[in-house]
Amino acid sequence: MMRTDHEATPLAWNRVHRYPQRVLDIERGLNSLPDSAGSVLPRGFGHSYGDSCLNADNTLLDTRGLNRVLSFDACTGVLHCEAGVTIGEVQRHATPHGWRLAVSPSTGLASVAGCVAHDVHGRNHLRAGSFGHHLLEIELIRGDGRHRCGPGSDEPLFRATIGGLGLTGLITTVRLQLRRVPSSFLQVETHAHTELSALLAHLDATAESHEYATAWLDMTDRQAFRGLLELGDEGPGERSLPAEGPRPRVPFDLPRWCVNRPAAQAFNRAYHRLGERRRPGPAGYRTYLYQMDSLGDWNRLLGRKGFYQYHFLVPAAAVRAGLPRLLDAVRRSDNLVVLAILKRYGPSAAPGLMSFPFHGLGGAFDFVNRGERTLGLFRELDRLLAELGGRVYLAKDSALDPDTFGLMYPRWTAFREFVDPRFSSSLWRRVTGEQG
């Protein structure tokens, strides 16, 4: 079944990319791909920061109507759901029974199929790997019909679909293995640092003792270093979910004159002071895992021109020498980073052909959009990152060129064999030079 199509110019989450596109609202009961001029691309809730969920001058397949949890086994933790079910809904459904997703992105508002398509990771990659490590089955519709794939069943297509950017077909349902948890709470502690080397050493030292870890950096001050290391573990407590009140929302785009270095410095200094005073204690999983979801449409705080995120990963062997070079390049540039975090990544083998994570240390930096000045810096960082053997996360990318893409993702030519001819995206055309 498919509802009426309409023309739209959907925004990427960073509020920069805006292209005219035809949108087809998909609902359950679809057995074949809809007729459409040009290429098609599935899209859920559009929380990819770059252009990976956009298909300029072509067609988007809106999967938010596929929103049912089909089954859940409270004894085994296996959940079967449609593509448009959100991560938050999976957590709300399973947590009272003592189960939760083993891996979750930093928002509960992403769709399950979107998490498959970008093989998302969380703060616990070191122990839990990425989203694709916990998939049991994917059902998708391609140009030649319906397919079911999983470990040991049409496995090449399964591996291509994990992290496959929505290009291998329209995912309709997903079967997930959840993990047992003692409660809906985590034990959280925060440590303040004034030296990068000390923060990184502390992060390494806690690899065995704490499951979740995120480091926050203040990149607004060129003279002094401020950082916070936030550590978490599953904790005791109730399984019941506290009542959710209405979320406050940002009602308008903040005027651009408010988005400046003094304002960003004031915010970062205040955030650091709060972190210094924060005492160890329990936090609900939503409070800890989905901090940004507490304020709706927070992306409007960075103004009408939006922002870019540079999400990168440096191999473990290159972190000590390479990370300071990346940070120095950012500080030397005439750009403003309003939010910067670091996360560690474990050595588990990537589950997908185009999966982002490998063993190392990665960062996600949110930059105020200053046009070519910002994109020019990204190209400089891309070259340096490629030299270090690192890569950028395609779900957040806005600047990668075909040559650098090929260096960072050498398996893309093998992946291309699984791309359905009907499918394409703005990102895919940009990084490969292919049409579609």
Side-chain angles (χ1 to χ4, degrees):
M1 181 176 178
M2 183 177 63
R3 291 183 291 179
T4 307
D5 64 286
H6 57 278
E7 299 295 323
T9 53
L11 273 169
W13 182 247
N14 66 1
R15 301 184 65 80
V16 175
H17 310 291
R18 183 196 297 265
Y19 309 123
Q21 291 156 101
R22 181 188 182 207
V23 179
L24 299 178
D25 297 326
I26 303 299
E27 292 184 336
R28 60 189 62 95
L30 189 72
N31 291 309
S32 61
L33 294 177
D35 293 331
S36 174
S39 63
V40 299
L41 177 73
R43 175 185 166 104
F45 292 84
H47 278 263
S48 299
Y49 285 46
D51 55 359
S52 70
C53 60
L54 297 175
N55 195 18
D57 301 316
N58 287 277
T59 299
L60 292 176
L61 305 178
D62 188 332
T63 62
R64 289 176 294 177
L66 302 175
N67 54 12
R68 293 182 303 174
V69 173
L70 301 174
S71 66
F72 174 62
D73 189 327
C75 295
T76 64
V78 174
L79 182 139
H80 187 209
C81 67
E82 293 179 326
V85 171
T86 66
I87 291 301
E89 181 58 31
V90 171
Q91 305 285 49
R92 286 188 292 271
H93 195 91
T95 299
H97 301 282
W99 298 90
R100 199 159 62 241
L101 285 164
V103 173
S104 178
S106 58
T107 176
L109 303 177
S111 70
V112 168
C115 291
V116 174
H118 293 98
D119 192 22
V120 298
H121 54 275
R123 304 183 190 191
N124 61 343
H125 184 271
L126 192 65
R127 294 193 186 179
S130 59
F131 201 79
H133 285 109
H134 306 277
L135 295 173
L136 301 176
E137 183 184 76
I138 302 169
E139 182 182 81
L140 68 164
I141 298 175
R142 290 166 56 87
D144 60 355
R146 189 178 296 269
H147 294 253
R148 284 190 176 91
C149 55
S153 174
D154 203 352
E155 192 157 344
L157 179 59
F158 179 64
R159 300 299 173 191
T161 301
I162 298 171
L165 305 168
L167 300 173
T168 64
L170 172 64
I171 297 174
T172 55
T173 67
V174 176
R175 197 179 301 273
L176 292 161
Q177 176 63 61
L178 307 186
R179 75 164 184 177
R180 180 75 74 176
V181 292
S183 76
S184 60
F185 291 86
L186 295 95
Q187 286 293 122
V188 182
E189 58 187 76
T190 304
H191 304 267
H193 287 276
T194 55
E195 293 183 358
L196 176 63
S197 59
L199 185 149
L200 295 179
H202 193 174
L203 183 63
D204 287 341
T206 59
E208 298 299 324
S209 57
H210 295 277
E211 178 173 0
Y212 298 91
T214 305
W216 167 89
L217 310 180
D218 180 359
M219 293 291 291
T220 65
D221 193 329
R222 295 188 175 98
Q223 305 302 319
F225 175 84
R226 283 182 288 272
L228 298 171
L229 178 59
E230 192 172 67
L231 304 170
D233 289 286
E234 299 293 341
E238 299 292 330
R239 289 181 180 175
S240 60
L241 301 177
E244 288 188 32
R247 291 189 306 156
R249 309 190 76 85
V250 179
F252 56 84
D253 296 332
L254 201 66
R256 190 53 183 265
W257 56 267
C258 294
V259 186
N260 54 43
R261 188 171 295 276
Q265 287 176 331
F267 168 78
N268 277 269
R269 287 169 182 164
Y271 189 83
H272 187 259
R273 284 195 296 269
L274 287 172
E276 286 181 309
R277 299 169 184 171
R278 197 176 297 143
R279 295 182 177 181
Y285 78 88
R286 287 176 296 199
T287 301
Y288 179 68
L289 295 177
Y290 309 130
Q291 295 176 12
M292 302 301 286
D293 288 352
S294 62
L295 180 62
D297 297 328
W298 65 262
N299 52 345
R300 304 186 76 175
L301 290 173
L302 295 178
R304 183 167 296 178
K305 291 186 178 180
F307 68 103
Y308 289 106
Q309 185 174 103
Y310 194 77
H311 195 137
F312 63 91
L313 177 52
V314 179
V319 169
R320 184 177 297 274
L323 182 62
R325 293 173 63 189
L326 286 166
L327 299 184
D328 287 346
V330 172
R331 288 195 175 98
R332 289 196 312 269
S333 73
D334 184 22
N335 282 284
L336 177 59
V337 179
V338 294
L339 181 65
I341 64 169
L342 297 176
K343 286 188 287 192
R344 58 195 182 197
Y345 294 79
S348 55
L353 275 177
M354 295 291 286
S355 292
F356 166 71
F358 56 72
H359 192 202
L361 186 72
F365 293 3
D366 289 350
F367 288 80
V368 172
N369 175 17
R370 291 183 170 169
E372 183 54 35
R373 280 184 292 177
T374 307
L375 295 177
L377 170 64
F378 285 9
R379 288 190 288 270
E380 177 186 349
L381 296 176
D382 286 346
R383 290 191 292 270
L384 175 55
L385 196 58
E387 175 188 328
L388 296 170
R391 62 170 59 132
V392 297
Y393 190 20
L394 296 176
K396 310 293 184 70
D397 176 63
S398 293
L400 202 59
D401 61 57
D403 290 339
T404 314
F405 167 72
L407 292 174
M408 292 182 174
Y409 288 88
R411 296 199 292 181
W412 82 271
T413 52
F415 166 73
R416 180 174 53 185
E417 301 304 312
F418 296 93
V419 174
D420 190 287
R422 289 284 309 281
F423 287 69
S424 186
S425 70
S426 293
L427 178 140
W428 186 247
R429 294 188 290 273
R430 171 168 58 84
V431 299
T432 66
E434 297 183 355
Q435 300 301 310

